[in-house]
Amino acid sequence: MSGVPPSSPARPPAGSAAPANAVEAAAGTAVVPLPYSSKQLQELLGSSWEARLKEMYRGMLLGRVLDTRMLGLQRQGRVAFYGPATGQEATSVGAALAMAEGDWVLPGLREQLIALMRGLDLTLYLHHLFGNDLDTARGRQMPCHPSAKEARYVSMSSNIGTQIIHAVGLAYALRYKRETGVSWAFFGDGATSSNDFHSGMNFAGVWKLPVLFVCTNNQWAISIPNEKQTASATFAEKAQAYGFEGSRVDGTDVVAVYHALREAREALASGKGPRMVECVLYRLTPHSSSDDPSRYQPKGWMDRAKAHDPLGRFEAMLDKLGLLPAAEREAIRAELDAKVRAAIQEAEVMPPPRFESLFEDTLRTPAWPLTEERDSFDKEQGGNFP
Amino acid sequence: MTELTLIQGVNQALHQAMKKDPDVLCLGEDIGVNGGVFRATDGLQKEFGEQRVLDTPLNESGIVGMAVGMALYGLKPVAEIQFLDFIYPAFDQIVSELAKLRYRSGGQFPAHVVIRTPYGGGIRGGLYHSQSTEQLFASTPGLKVVIPSTPADAKGLLLTAIFDEDPVLFMEPKRIYRTATGEVPDGDHRVPFGKARIVREGTDVSVFAYGAMVPTAFQACQVLEKTGIHAELIDLRTLVPLDIDAVVRSVEKTGRAVIVHEAPKFCGFGAELAAILAEKALYSLKAPIARVTGYDTPFPYTLENLYLPSVDRIGRAIQRTVTAG
Ligand SMILES: Cc1ncc(C[n+]2csc(CCOP(=O)(O)OP(=O)(O)O)c2C)c(N)n1
Ligand SMILES: [Mg+2]
């Protein structure tokens, strides 16, 4: 994508404009600190700004620690799959903090941190990652597909884009029931090509529904870069064609994300119809454990992208401003790492789901032949062969 | 002859078809620069260029609809859907358009399109990277449905598909992409549609399978051979057109039938086979027909090995069928 975002009425605050292009954004590989002074932070985050910063840091660090540990387990074959969100922490955390309790989340592929920040218990999430008997969905889904009703975080499929229109139906229901919550649809850059992106944006525009469309543009849909996904200069400008406002924000700047999403959320909560915010960020890992980016990324892309590491940028700002001293940060990291390790230990030793769970939850009352399959399970599966 | 894996058979067929005919094009998600997430299209874009190997935006109905448009003008597109589980946005294009073009145009517009797609379980892919829904497509008139189980068939059936005027859904058993190996003829190897393959001959029972279930069923038959049960294993290869003679003839010989597939039982392809046998071979049957299938649920993650028909489960069903009646 080229040039300046042409149709971004709501610009991110305090000089943290969204970079126009993945690779060109950072000049080198040195981490670019977030651009704020203490005074600006105070303005943007309010009187308890220091507590907020700490909360942001904890949230992003939890995501990073979890990704690091789980990718390690995945490499050792202790979990079959893990989908990291490294590089997206600022967007997830900024969004989670901008939400109200009554809001609903229709996640894309990499929003699990939002569920955790909204109350999904870490150990319960680990039961899901190990697909064991204590997993809410009894190990039916691949890892990183949690269902967390307590966090108003809806169970997702792996099918790209399908949740976008669900967010619209959910928003309709919220308005119909006169609730104050809004509905958040998260989706990647690739998902903007899906049929349901069109359905969702169009329907939401027609009924002026309280849906916040958050595009996590991490520059890639597996091997497909933005410019092969769309001829539009930005994803945000697509909103204009559907009759509502779209804006871009630096998705690696947690302060900017928080500010932009809170502002957008307030606008929709007051009945002004949907909004779309494109969070521009960088996928700092392969697409998944089965992906090899050296086949398609330009040489050095990942190193340059690391200049936009949301956590590194945040820490560099803290250093510059003398906030949250290193010792305190280290203590937070150690605490989170211990929590994650304890949850892993607890979940890893749990047995796999009971076989009976195979026959539950397809319908509330199973229909034939599932009933027969359940009843003849022992005969079919058990005993010596031959 | 060269020893290849199943996915190399696919790759070789694509290479040879594109070399032979400039009207053959490939399109799909991540198939160009990346060579496909399973590497089925590895090297194609390098050799034939971006004009003939298209990385598409993320939209399956777009991929199939675009292929239909190309075919209307006389090209021979080979579309890839990254996983069968993601084909449903294209269902309308397949069922309403692709499968009906010839019929609704009185033959003016045959739809010369191949859709390749990996399918099936056993790769720890959970609900959405594992499904087998061949029955949805096999029950759509106007569409051929092809499922190879060996490298030679992967190449030979795909070449036949690419040069067949009619639309073909070419389902690739991804679990055995790399474990199925075998000798593959080097040249323009074509395997005709509608001809089942007798994997092993036997006299006591007919076992019908396709795709990744063929090697599993084969193992069960081999084990049972040692116990004195001589099972005949038939690889259907193409569900549409179906080699109905091979199905009926085998059961006329053995008098017993076991049908194996990964898809759920209810309204699965096995139901069609069982109905055919009831219609055309009832008086030959000495025992009830058995179906060994995935359970009638969505596809699980952790317990997938219980869900999928295993050597043991197939073997027990064969034993029960042989000793019944
Ligand atoms: C309908 C559908 N088609 C294809 C896929 C395979 N696939 C999984 S992730 C992905 C790319 C998604 O890109 P994007 O929306 O940008 O999300 P990201 O992975 O970058 O977060 C693809 C093609 C899928 N899951 N669903
Ligand atoms: Mg992306």
Side-chain angles (χ1 to χ4, degrees), chain A residues 88 109-110 158-162 187-192 194 216-222 224 229 283 287, chain B residues 29-30 58-60 81-83 85-87 89 128-129:
Chain A
Q88 309 204 176
L109 287 182
R110 304 180 199 271
S158 310
N159 302 36
I160 296 292
T162 47
F187 50 89
D189 42 290
T192 62
S194 69
T216 53
N217 175 7
N218 65 2
Q219 316 299 329
W220 300 97
I222 308 186
I224 305 300
Q229 200 65 250
R283 197 186 78 200
H287 170 76
Chain B
E29 294 158 11
D30 306 290
L58 205 169
N59 186 300
E60 286 72 16
I81 300 295
Q82 204 164 84
F83 286 78
D85 310 68
F86 305 137
I87 206 167
Y128 301 105
H129 299 83

mmCIF file of all heavy atoms in Angstrom, chain A residues 88 109-110 158-162 187-192 194 216-222 224 229 283 287, chain B residues 29-30 58-60 81-83 85-87 89 128-129, ligand 1:
data_model
loop_
_atom_site.group_PDB
_atom_site.id
_atom_site.type_symbol
_atom_site.label_atom_id
_atom_site.label_comp_id
_atom_site.label_asym_id
_atom_site.label_seq_id
_atom_site.Cartn_x
_atom_site.Cartn_y
_atom_site.Cartn_z
ATOM 1 N N GLN A 88 0.872 -8.205 18.065
ATOM 2 C CA GLN A 88 -0.498 -7.679 18.096
ATOM 3 C C GLN A 88 -0.949 -7.305 19.506
ATOM 4 O O GLN A 88 -2.109 -6.956 19.725
ATOM 5 C CB GLN A 88 -1.475 -8.694 17.476
ATOM 6 C CG GLN A 88 -1.017 -9.159 16.109
ATOM 7 C CD GLN A 88 -2.090 -9.687 15.190
ATOM 8 O OE1 GLN A 88 -1.789 -10.005 14.057
ATOM 9 N NE2 GLN A 88 -3.341 -9.777 15.659
ATOM 10 N N LEU A 109 -8.560 -14.421 14.423
ATOM 11 C CA LEU A 109 -7.652 -15.519 14.761
ATOM 12 C C LEU A 109 -6.803 -15.252 15.996
ATOM 13 O O LEU A 109 -6.364 -16.180 16.644
ATOM 14 C CB LEU A 109 -6.683 -15.764 13.598
ATOM 15 C CG LEU A 109 -7.227 -16.416 12.348
ATOM 16 C CD1 LEU A 109 -6.110 -16.602 11.346
ATOM 17 C CD2 LEU A 109 -7.874 -17.754 12.680
ATOM 18 N N ARG A 110 -6.536 -13.968 16.301
ATOM 19 C CA ARG A 110 -5.445 -13.707 17.247
ATOM 20 C C ARG A 110 -5.881 -12.798 18.390
ATOM 21 O O ARG A 110 -5.167 -11.901 18.794
ATOM 22 C CB ARG A 110 -4.262 -13.090 16.499
ATOM 23 C CG ARG A 110 -3.787 -13.964 15.331
ATOM 24 C CD ARG A 110 -2.626 -13.369 14.606
ATOM 25 N NE ARG A 110 -2.468 -13.941 13.278
ATOM 26 C CZ ARG A 110 -1.757 -15.026 12.992
ATOM 27 N NH1 ARG A 110 -1.114 -15.657 13.940
ATOM 28 N NH2 ARG A 110 -1.684 -15.482 11.748
ATOM 29 N N SER A 158 -12.572 -21.619 12.463
ATOM 30 C CA SER A 158 -11.316 -21.238 11.808
ATOM 31 C C SER A 158 -11.589 -20.529 10.489
ATOM 32 O O SER A 158 -10.661 -20.086 9.826
ATOM 33 C CB SER A 158 -10.460 -22.476 11.533
ATOM 34 O OG SER A 158 -10.327 -23.271 12.682
ATOM 35 N N ASN A 159 -12.843 -20.486 10.100
ATOM 36 C CA ASN A 159 -13.169 -19.976 8.771
ATOM 37 C C ASN A 159 -13.100 -18.458 8.764
ATOM 38 O O ASN A 159 -13.800 -17.791 9.523
ATOM 39 C CB ASN A 159 -14.560 -20.462 8.363
ATOM 40 C CG ASN A 159 -14.646 -21.979 8.373
ATOM 41 O OD1 ASN A 159 -14.044 -22.628 9.229
ATOM 42 N ND2 ASN A 159 -15.351 -22.534 7.426
ATOM 43 N N ILE A 160 -12.269 -17.945 7.905
ATOM 44 C CA ILE A 160 -11.960 -16.524 7.944
ATOM 45 C C ILE A 160 -13.174 -15.672 7.558
ATOM 46 O O ILE A 160 -13.799 -15.894 6.520
ATOM 47 C CB ILE A 160 -10.784 -16.228 6.981
ATOM 48 C CG1 ILE A 160 -9.512 -16.936 7.462
ATOM 49 C CG2 ILE A 160 -10.555 -14.729 6.829
ATOM 50 C CD1 ILE A 160 -8.940 -16.407 8.740
ATOM 51 N N GLY A 161 -13.486 -14.698 8.406
ATOM 52 C CA GLY A 161 -14.485 -13.682 8.063
ATOM 53 C C GLY A 161 -15.890 -13.926 8.562
ATOM 54 O O GLY A 161 -16.673 -12.986 8.677
ATOM 55 N N THR A 162 -16.209 -15.169 8.886
ATOM 56 C CA THR A 162 -17.605 -15.509 9.189
ATOM 57 C C THR A 162 -18.161 -14.770 10.406
ATOM 58 O O THR A 162 -19.358 -14.532 10.504
ATOM 59 C CB THR A 162 -17.755 -17.021 9.440
ATOM 60 O OG1 THR A 162 -16.708 -17.419 10.324
ATOM 61 C CG2 THR A 162 -17.639 -17.811 8.156
ATOM 62 N N PHE A 187 -10.990 -8.843 12.893
ATOM 63 C CA PHE A 187 -10.668 -9.638 11.701
ATOM 64 C C PHE A 187 -9.362 -9.127 11.120
ATOM 65 O O PHE A 187 -8.978 -7.973 11.329
ATOM 66 C CB PHE A 187 -11.795 -9.550 10.672
ATOM 67 C CG PHE A 187 -12.230 -8.134 10.382
ATOM 68 C CD1 PHE A 187 -11.629 -7.396 9.385
ATOM 69 C CD2 PHE A 187 -13.237 -7.529 11.148
ATOM 70 C CE1 PHE A 187 -12.016 -6.085 9.144
ATOM 71 C CE2 PHE A 187 -13.633 -6.221 10.912
ATOM 72 C CZ PHE A 187 -13.013 -5.491 9.903
ATOM 73 N N GLY A 188 -8.682 -9.996 10.372
ATOM 74 C CA GLY A 188 -7.401 -9.629 9.787
ATOM 75 C C GLY A 188 -7.560 -8.888 8.472
ATOM 76 O O GLY A 188 -8.670 -8.686 7.973
ATOM 77 N N ASP A 189 -6.427 -8.512 7.914
ATOM 78 C CA ASP A 189 -6.427 -7.868 6.605
ATOM 79 C C ASP A 189 -6.975 -8.812 5.540
ATOM 80 O O ASP A 189 -7.738 -8.411 4.659
ATOM 81 C CB ASP A 189 -5.014 -7.410 6.229
ATOM 82 C CG ASP A 189 -3.959 -8.456 6.579
ATOM 83 O OD1 ASP A 189 -3.708 -8.652 7.776
ATOM 84 O OD2 ASP A 189 -3.411 -9.089 5.656
ATOM 85 N N GLY A 190 -6.607 -10.095 5.644
ATOM 86 C CA GLY A 190 -7.100 -11.060 4.658
ATOM 87 C C GLY A 190 -8.616 -11.186 4.701
ATOM 88 O O GLY A 190 -9.280 -11.310 3.666
ATOM 89 N N ALA A 191 -9.157 -11.121 5.907
ATOM 90 C CA ALA A 191 -10.595 -11.315 6.085
ATOM 91 C C ALA A 191 -11.426 -10.222 5.409
ATOM 92 O O ALA A 191 -12.617 -10.426 5.143
ATOM 93 C CB ALA A 191 -10.932 -11.369 7.571
ATOM 94 N N THR A 192 -10.804 -9.084 5.095
ATOM 95 C CA THR A 192 -11.584 -8.031 4.417
ATOM 96 C C THR A 192 -11.992 -8.449 3.014
ATOM 97 O O THR A 192 -12.827 -7.807 2.391
ATOM 98 C CB THR A 192 -10.788 -6.713 4.321
ATOM 99 O OG1 THR A 192 -9.614 -6.929 3.529
ATOM 100 C CG2 THR A 192 -10.395 -6.197 5.690
ATOM 101 N N SER A 194 -13.323 -11.391 2.464
ATOM 102 C CA SER A 194 -14.348 -12.432 2.581
ATOM 103 C C SER A 194 -15.739 -11.890 2.261
ATOM 104 O O SER A 194 -15.997 -10.688 2.370
ATOM 105 C CB SER A 194 -14.341 -12.999 4.007
ATOM 106 O OG SER A 194 -14.823 -12.035 4.934
ATOM 107 N N THR A 216 -7.287 -5.947 12.171
ATOM 108 C CA THR A 216 -5.900 -6.078 12.637
ATOM 109 C C THR A 216 -5.037 -6.345 11.410
ATOM 110 O O THR A 216 -4.847 -7.488 11.008
ATOM 111 C CB THR A 216 -5.765 -7.226 13.644
ATOM 112 O OG1 THR A 216 -6.313 -8.416 13.055
ATOM 113 C CG2 THR A 216 -6.528 -6.921 14.919
ATOM 114 N N ASN A 217 -4.547 -5.264 10.838
ATOM 115 C CA ASN A 217 -3.749 -5.395 9.618
ATOM 116 C C ASN A 217 -2.304 -5.695 9.988
ATOM 117 O O ASN A 217 -1.522 -4.798 10.262
ATOM 118 C CB ASN A 217 -3.849 -4.104 8.800
ATOM 119 C CG ASN A 217 -2.941 -4.152 7.580
ATOM 120 O OD1 ASN A 217 -2.348 -5.189 7.278
ATOM 121 N ND2 ASN A 217 -2.821 -3.039 6.888
ATOM 122 N N ASN A 218 -1.970 -6.982 9.956
ATOM 123 C CA ASN A 218 -0.590 -7.382 10.286
ATOM 124 C C ASN A 218 0.233 -7.569 9.024
ATOM 125 O O ASN A 218 1.248 -8.247 9.030
ATOM 126 C CB ASN A 218 -0.588 -8.634 11.168
ATOM 127 C CG ASN A 218 -1.147 -9.848 10.443
ATOM 128 O OD1 ASN A 218 -1.509 -9.794 9.266
ATOM 129 N ND2 ASN A 218 -1.215 -10.967 11.138
ATOM 130 N N GLN A 219 -0.216 -7.012 7.932
ATOM 131 C CA GLN A 219 0.496 -6.938 6.651
ATOM 132 C C GLN A 219 0.440 -8.206 5.822
ATOM 133 O O GLN A 219 0.732 -8.179 4.628
ATOM 134 C CB GLN A 219 1.983 -6.563 6.828
ATOM 135 C CG GLN A 219 2.248 -5.430 7.808
ATOM 136 C CD GLN A 219 1.594 -4.146 7.394
ATOM 137 O OE1 GLN A 219 1.438 -3.888 6.205
ATOM 138 N NE2 GLN A 219 1.170 -3.334 8.355
ATOM 139 N N TRP A 220 0.040 -9.315 6.415
ATOM 140 C CA TRP A 220 0.077 -10.588 5.685
ATOM 141 C C TRP A 220 -1.186 -11.389 5.941
ATOM 142 O O TRP A 220 -1.710 -11.378 7.051
ATOM 143 C CB TRP A 220 1.271 -11.447 6.131
ATOM 144 C CG TRP A 220 2.593 -10.816 5.908
ATOM 145 C CD1 TRP A 220 3.341 -10.119 6.819
ATOM 146 C CD2 TRP A 220 3.335 -10.800 4.684
ATOM 147 N NE1 TRP A 220 4.491 -9.684 6.232
ATOM 148 C CE2 TRP A 220 4.527 -10.085 4.918
ATOM 149 C CE3 TRP A 220 3.105 -11.329 3.406
ATOM 150 C CZ2 TRP A 220 5.479 -9.876 3.935
ATOM 151 C CZ3 TRP A 220 4.063 -11.121 2.427
ATOM 152 C CH2 TRP A 220 5.232 -10.402 2.691
ATOM 153 N N ALA A 221 -1.625 -12.065 4.925
ATOM 154 C CA ALA A 221 -2.590 -13.149 5.083
ATOM 155 C C ALA A 221 -1.832 -14.387 4.624
ATOM 156 O O ALA A 221 -1.719 -14.638 3.412
ATOM 157 C CB ALA A 221 -3.829 -12.921 4.238
ATOM 158 N N ILE A 222 -1.279 -15.119 5.549
ATOM 159 C CA ILE A 222 -0.249 -16.134 5.273
ATOM 160 C C ILE A 222 0.813 -15.501 4.373
ATOM 161 O O ILE A 222 1.573 -14.668 4.844
ATOM 162 C CB ILE A 222 -0.849 -17.453 4.722
ATOM 163 C CG1 ILE A 222 -1.988 -17.955 5.649
ATOM 164 C CG2 ILE A 222 0.257 -18.527 4.657
ATOM 165 C CD1 ILE A 222 -2.551 -19.318 5.279
ATOM 166 N N ILE A 224 0.215 -13.675 1.542
ATOM 167 C CA ILE A 224 -0.321 -12.644 0.651
ATOM 168 C C ILE A 224 -0.198 -11.270 1.322
ATOM 169 O O ILE A 224 -0.836 -11.018 2.348
ATOM 170 C CB ILE A 224 -1.797 -12.941 0.309
ATOM 171 C CG1 ILE A 224 -1.952 -14.346 -0.279
ATOM 172 C CG2 ILE A 224 -2.368 -11.898 -0.659
ATOM 173 C CD1 ILE A 224 -1.172 -14.607 -1.549
ATOM 174 N N GLN A 229 -4.060 -8.171 -1.646
ATOM 175 C CA GLN A 229 -5.362 -8.437 -1.033
ATOM 176 C C GLN A 229 -6.393 -7.433 -1.518
ATOM 177 O O GLN A 229 -7.577 -7.754 -1.667
ATOM 178 C CB GLN A 229 -5.219 -8.353 0.498
ATOM 179 C CG GLN A 229 -6.304 -9.039 1.274
ATOM 180 C CD GLN A 229 -6.321 -10.533 1.072
ATOM 181 O OE1 GLN A 229 -7.238 -11.057 0.431
ATOM 182 N NE2 GLN A 229 -5.340 -11.243 1.573
ATOM 183 N N ARG A 283 3.081 -8.722 11.855
ATOM 184 C CA ARG A 283 3.120 -10.105 12.327
ATOM 185 C C ARG A 283 4.578 -10.462 12.596
ATOM 186 O O ARG A 283 5.369 -10.563 11.663
ATOM 187 C CB ARG A 283 2.529 -11.014 11.242
ATOM 188 C CG ARG A 283 2.134 -12.391 11.720
ATOM 189 C CD ARG A 283 1.708 -13.276 10.555
ATOM 190 N NE ARG A 283 2.867 -13.785 9.838
ATOM 191 C CZ ARG A 283 2.833 -14.242 8.594
ATOM 192 N NH1 ARG A 283 1.716 -14.272 7.924
ATOM 193 N NH2 ARG A 283 3.939 -14.675 8.012
ATOM 194 N N HIS A 287 3.099 -17.253 10.105
ATOM 195 C CA HIS A 287 1.639 -17.283 10.221
ATOM 196 C C HIS A 287 1.216 -18.269 11.297
ATOM 197 O O HIS A 287 0.336 -17.995 12.100
ATOM 198 C CB HIS A 287 1.012 -17.677 8.881
ATOM 199 C CG HIS A 287 -0.449 -17.967 8.980
ATOM 200 N ND1 HIS A 287 -1.386 -16.973 9.094
ATOM 201 C CD2 HIS A 287 -1.138 -19.128 9.023
ATOM 202 C CE1 HIS A 287 -2.593 -17.516 9.197
ATOM 203 N NE2 HIS A 287 -2.464 -18.822 9.163
ATOM 204 N N GLU B 29 -5.410 -19.436 -2.980
ATOM 205 C CA GLU B 29 -4.747 -18.677 -1.914
ATOM 206 C C GLU B 29 -3.366 -19.266 -1.623
ATOM 207 O O GLU B 29 -3.255 -20.475 -1.396
ATOM 208 C CB GLU B 29 -5.613 -18.715 -0.648
ATOM 209 C CG GLU B 29 -6.928 -17.983 -0.813
ATOM 210 C CD GLU B 29 -8.006 -18.431 0.171
ATOM 211 O OE1 GLU B 29 -7.692 -19.160 1.132
ATOM 212 O OE2 GLU B 29 -9.181 -18.059 -0.029
ATOM 213 N N ASP B 30 -2.355 -18.443 -1.636
ATOM 214 C CA ASP B 30 -0.992 -18.846 -1.264
ATOM 215 C C ASP B 30 -0.393 -19.912 -2.178
ATOM 216 O O ASP B 30 0.527 -20.618 -1.785
ATOM 217 C CB ASP B 30 -0.953 -19.346 0.201
ATOM 218 C CG ASP B 30 -1.533 -18.335 1.170
ATOM 219 O OD1 ASP B 30 -0.905 -17.302 1.385
ATOM 220 O OD2 ASP B 30 -2.657 -18.575 1.703
ATOM 221 N N LEU B 58 -8.328 -13.480 -0.382
ATOM 222 C CA LEU B 58 -8.897 -14.532 0.464
ATOM 223 C C LEU B 58 -10.420 -14.606 0.272
ATOM 224 O O LEU B 58 -11.176 -13.983 1.010
ATOM 225 C CB LEU B 58 -8.554 -14.225 1.932
ATOM 226 C CG LEU B 58 -8.510 -15.382 2.919
ATOM 227 C CD1 LEU B 58 -7.904 -14.941 4.227
ATOM 228 C CD2 LEU B 58 -9.849 -16.030 3.128
ATOM 229 N N ASN B 59 -10.839 -15.353 -0.726
ATOM 230 C CA ASN B 59 -12.270 -15.419 -1.011
ATOM 231 C C ASN B 59 -12.555 -16.612 -1.909
ATOM 232 O O ASN B 59 -12.241 -16.603 -3.099
ATOM 233 C CB ASN B 59 -12.720 -14.111 -1.673
ATOM 234 C CG ASN B 59 -14.219 -14.067 -1.867
ATOM 235 O OD1 ASN B 59 -14.778 -14.921 -2.559
ATOM 236 N ND2 ASN B 59 -14.867 -13.102 -1.270
ATOM 237 N N GLU B 60 -13.164 -17.629 -1.325
ATOM 238 C CA GLU B 60 -13.335 -18.881 -2.052
ATOM 239 C C GLU B 60 -14.382 -18.788 -3.152
ATOM 240 O O GLU B 60 -14.224 -19.387 -4.216
ATOM 241 C CB GLU B 60 -13.672 -20.021 -1.090
ATOM 242 C CG GLU B 60 -12.488 -20.497 -0.247
ATOM 243 C CD GLU B 60 -12.067 -19.532 0.843
ATOM 244 O OE1 GLU B 60 -12.856 -18.616 1.173
ATOM 245 O OE2 GLU B 60 -10.959 -19.676 1.382
ATOM 246 N N ILE B 81 -8.715 -24.829 -3.378
ATOM 247 C CA ILE B 81 -9.317 -24.374 -2.123
ATOM 248 C C ILE B 81 -8.415 -24.934 -1.027
ATOM 249 O O ILE B 81 -8.202 -26.149 -0.963
ATOM 250 C CB ILE B 81 -10.770 -24.895 -1.976
ATOM 251 C CG1 ILE B 81 -11.648 -24.386 -3.129
ATOM 252 C CG2 ILE B 81 -11.345 -24.511 -0.615
ATOM 253 C CD1 ILE B 81 -11.869 -22.890 -3.183
ATOM 254 N N GLN B 82 -7.905 -24.052 -0.165
ATOM 255 C CA GLN B 82 -6.799 -24.422 0.726
ATOM 256 C C GLN B 82 -7.107 -25.636 1.608
ATOM 257 O O GLN B 82 -6.258 -26.478 1.823
ATOM 258 C CB GLN B 82 -6.427 -23.216 1.572
ATOM 259 C CG GLN B 82 -5.027 -23.242 2.093
ATOM 260 C CD GLN B 82 -4.598 -21.865 2.581
ATOM 261 O OE1 GLN B 82 -4.888 -21.501 3.710
ATOM 262 N NE2 GLN B 82 -3.921 -21.113 1.748
ATOM 263 N N PHE B 83 -8.328 -25.697 2.115
ATOM 264 C CA PHE B 83 -8.829 -26.870 2.831
ATOM 265 C C PHE B 83 -10.279 -27.057 2.391
ATOM 266 O O PHE B 83 -11.003 -26.068 2.240
ATOM 267 C CB PHE B 83 -8.823 -26.656 4.355
ATOM 268 C CG PHE B 83 -7.470 -26.694 4.999
ATOM 269 C CD1 PHE B 83 -6.623 -25.605 4.923
ATOM 270 C CD2 PHE B 83 -7.052 -27.820 5.693
ATOM 271 C CE1 PHE B 83 -5.370 -25.629 5.530
ATOM 272 C CE2 PHE B 83 -5.798 -27.851 6.310
ATOM 273 C CZ PHE B 83 -4.961 -26.762 6.227
ATOM 274 N N ASP B 85 -12.599 -27.733 4.158
ATOM 275 C CA ASP B 85 -13.401 -27.069 5.196
ATOM 276 C C ASP B 85 -13.738 -25.614 4.844
ATOM 277 O O ASP B 85 -14.643 -25.032 5.432
ATOM 278 C CB ASP B 85 -12.624 -27.074 6.512
ATOM 279 C CG ASP B 85 -12.092 -28.452 6.856
ATOM 280 O OD1 ASP B 85 -11.194 -28.947 6.142
ATOM 281 O OD2 ASP B 85 -12.578 -29.055 7.810
ATOM 282 N N PHE B 86 -12.988 -25.010 3.930
ATOM 283 C CA PHE B 86 -13.204 -23.604 3.603
ATOM 284 C C PHE B 86 -13.892 -23.418 2.255
ATOM 285 O O PHE B 86 -13.914 -22.318 1.690
ATOM 286 C CB PHE B 86 -11.869 -22.841 3.628
ATOM 287 C CG PHE B 86 -11.146 -22.989 4.928
ATOM 288 C CD1 PHE B 86 -9.784 -23.211 4.972
ATOM 289 C CD2 PHE B 86 -11.842 -22.928 6.134
ATOM 290 C CE1 PHE B 86 -9.122 -23.369 6.186
ATOM 291 C CE2 PHE B 86 -11.188 -23.087 7.347
ATOM 292 C CZ PHE B 86 -9.828 -23.311 7.370
ATOM 293 N N ILE B 87 -14.475 -24.482 1.730
ATOM 294 C CA ILE B 87 -15.057 -24.423 0.389
ATOM 295 C C ILE B 87 -16.458 -23.805 0.401
ATOM 296 O O ILE B 87 -16.954 -23.355 -0.620
ATOM 297 C CB ILE B 87 -15.109 -25.843 -0.249
ATOM 298 C CG1 ILE B 87 -15.097 -25.728 -1.788
ATOM 299 C CG2 ILE B 87 -16.322 -26.648 0.233
ATOM 300 C CD1 ILE B 87 -14.843 -27.031 -2.486
ATOM 301 N N PRO B 89 -18.022 -20.986 1.273
ATOM 302 C CA PRO B 89 -18.382 -19.720 0.614
ATOM 303 C C PRO B 89 -18.531 -19.904 -0.901
ATOM 304 O O PRO B 89 -19.239 -19.135 -1.549
ATOM 305 C CB PRO B 89 -17.203 -18.799 0.945
ATOM 306 C CG PRO B 89 -16.609 -19.369 2.184
ATOM 307 C CD PRO B 89 -16.809 -20.861 2.081
ATOM 308 N N TYR B 128 -12.120 -27.689 11.791
ATOM 309 C CA TYR B 128 -12.118 -26.966 10.515
ATOM 310 C C TYR B 128 -10.910 -27.224 9.627
ATOM 311 O O TYR B 128 -10.645 -26.462 8.710
ATOM 312 C CB TYR B 128 -12.265 -25.459 10.777
ATOM 313 C CG TYR B 128 -13.538 -25.124 11.509
ATOM 314 C CD1 TYR B 128 -13.515 -24.790 12.858
ATOM 315 C CD2 TYR B 128 -14.770 -25.170 10.860
ATOM 316 C CE1 TYR B 128 -14.685 -24.485 13.533
ATOM 317 C CE2 TYR B 128 -15.939 -24.877 11.532
ATOM 318 C CZ TYR B 128 -15.900 -24.534 12.871
ATOM 319 O OH TYR B 128 -17.054 -24.232 13.539
ATOM 320 N N HIS B 129 -10.160 -28.270 9.925
ATOM 321 C CA HIS B 129 -9.083 -28.642 8.999
ATOM 322 C C HIS B 129 -9.086 -30.159 8.817
ATOM 323 O O HIS B 129 -8.052 -30.763 8.640
ATOM 324 C CB HIS B 129 -7.716 -28.186 9.529
ATOM 325 C CG HIS B 129 -7.575 -26.711 9.706
ATOM 326 N ND1 HIS B 129 -8.018 -26.043 10.817
ATOM 327 C CD2 HIS B 129 -7.046 -25.760 8.896
ATOM 328 C CE1 HIS B 129 -7.760 -24.741 10.690
ATOM 329 N NE2 HIS B 129 -7.177 -24.548 9.535
HETATM 330 C C1 LIG C 1 -12.503 -19.174 4.551
HETATM 331 C C2 LIG C 1 -11.093 -19.485 4.812
HETATM 332 N N1 LIG C 1 -10.227 -19.570 3.777
HETATM 333 C C3 LIG C 1 -8.944 -19.892 3.990
HETATM 334 C C4 LIG C 1 -8.477 -20.119 5.243
HETATM 335 C C5 LIG C 1 -7.024 -20.498 5.499
HETATM 336 N N2 LIG C 1 -6.359 -19.396 6.197
HETATM 337 C C6 LIG C 1 -6.212 -19.406 7.539
HETATM 338 S S1 LIG C 1 -5.589 -17.976 8.106
HETATM 339 C C7 LIG C 1 -5.506 -17.322 6.557
HETATM 340 C C8 LIG C 1 -5.002 -15.937 6.379
HETATM 341 C C9 LIG C 1 -5.735 -14.970 7.222
HETATM 342 O O1 LIG C 1 -5.199 -13.708 7.053
HETATM 343 P P1 LIG C 1 -5.708 -12.497 7.915
HETATM 344 O O2 LIG C 1 -7.182 -12.377 7.803
HETATM 345 O O3 LIG C 1 -4.904 -11.330 7.497
HETATM 346 O O4 LIG C 1 -5.387 -12.913 9.409
HETATM 347 P P2 LIG C 1 -3.941 -13.173 10.077
HETATM 348 O O5 LIG C 1 -3.692 -14.643 10.013
HETATM 349 O O6 LIG C 1 -2.938 -12.409 9.305
HETATM 350 O O7 LIG C 1 -4.097 -12.710 11.470
HETATM 351 C C10 LIG C 1 -5.947 -18.239 5.612
HETATM 352 C C11 LIG C 1 -5.955 -18.004 4.163
HETATM 353 C C12 LIG C 1 -9.413 -20.049 6.295
HETATM 354 N N3 LIG C 1 -9.046 -20.274 7.558
HETATM 355 N N4 LIG C 1 -10.707 -19.720 6.056
#
